Amino acid sequence: TQLVFWNQGSKTLFIADVPDNPKISAEWKFEPLFSGEAGNQNAWYPEGLARFDIDTDGVTDLLAGNYWFKYQVNGTFKPIQVAEVGGRI
């Protein structure tokens, strides 16, 4: 099981492996999926995250900010910009 989350301060989208027992685990392993403005322009900023099969290929993708993160066979996500300005998902 994994958890994906934005850190607005670092302008980074992270993915974490949820430990078997998250209530007692002192450390969660996580890594950046994407780093950047993700559409930040003036007062606009990315907020929220959704997961679903955007291209109906049977694999769950992510939508965050102004990017579609297409799941790749090697377990990574390819960021594809879908709008000029980020927004709420």
Side-chain angles (χ1 to χ4, degrees), residues 61-84:
D61 303 304
L62 303 172
L63 185 63
N66 59 339
Y67 283 89
W68 160 28
F69 295 90
K70 179 170 175 45
Y71 184 79
Q72 304 293 289
V73 177
N74 64 359
T76 63
F77 290 85
K78 177 184 176 183
I80 301 168
Q81 188 172 356
V82 295
E84 290 299 315

Side-chain angles (χ1 to χ4, degrees), residues 15 17 21 24 28-29 34 38 40 45 48 52 55-56 58 61-62 68 78 86 89:
I15 189 166
D17 291 322
N21 192 340
I24 63 169
W28 288 37
K29 294 180 182 177
F34 175 82
N40 190 2
Y45 61 94
F52 53 93
D55 57 359
T56 66
D61 303 304
L62 303 172
W68 160 28
K78 177 184 176 183
I89 305 284

Side-chain angles (χ1 to χ4, degrees), residues 6 8 37-41 43-49 63-67 82-89:
W6 275 111
Q8 297 294 81
E37 295 292 332
N40 190 2
Q41 180 180 5
W44 294 92
Y45 61 94
E47 183 176 312
L49 174 73
L63 185 63
N66 59 339
Y67 283 89
V82 295
E84 290 299 315
V85 178
R88 292 184 176 171
I89 305 284

Side-chain angles (χ1 to χ4, degrees), residues 15-32:
I15 189 166
D17 291 322
V18 177
D20 291 334
N21 192 340
K23 290 184 178 182
I24 63 169
S25 182
E27 183 176 323
W28 288 37
K29 294 180 182 177
F30 62 93
E31 60 186 57

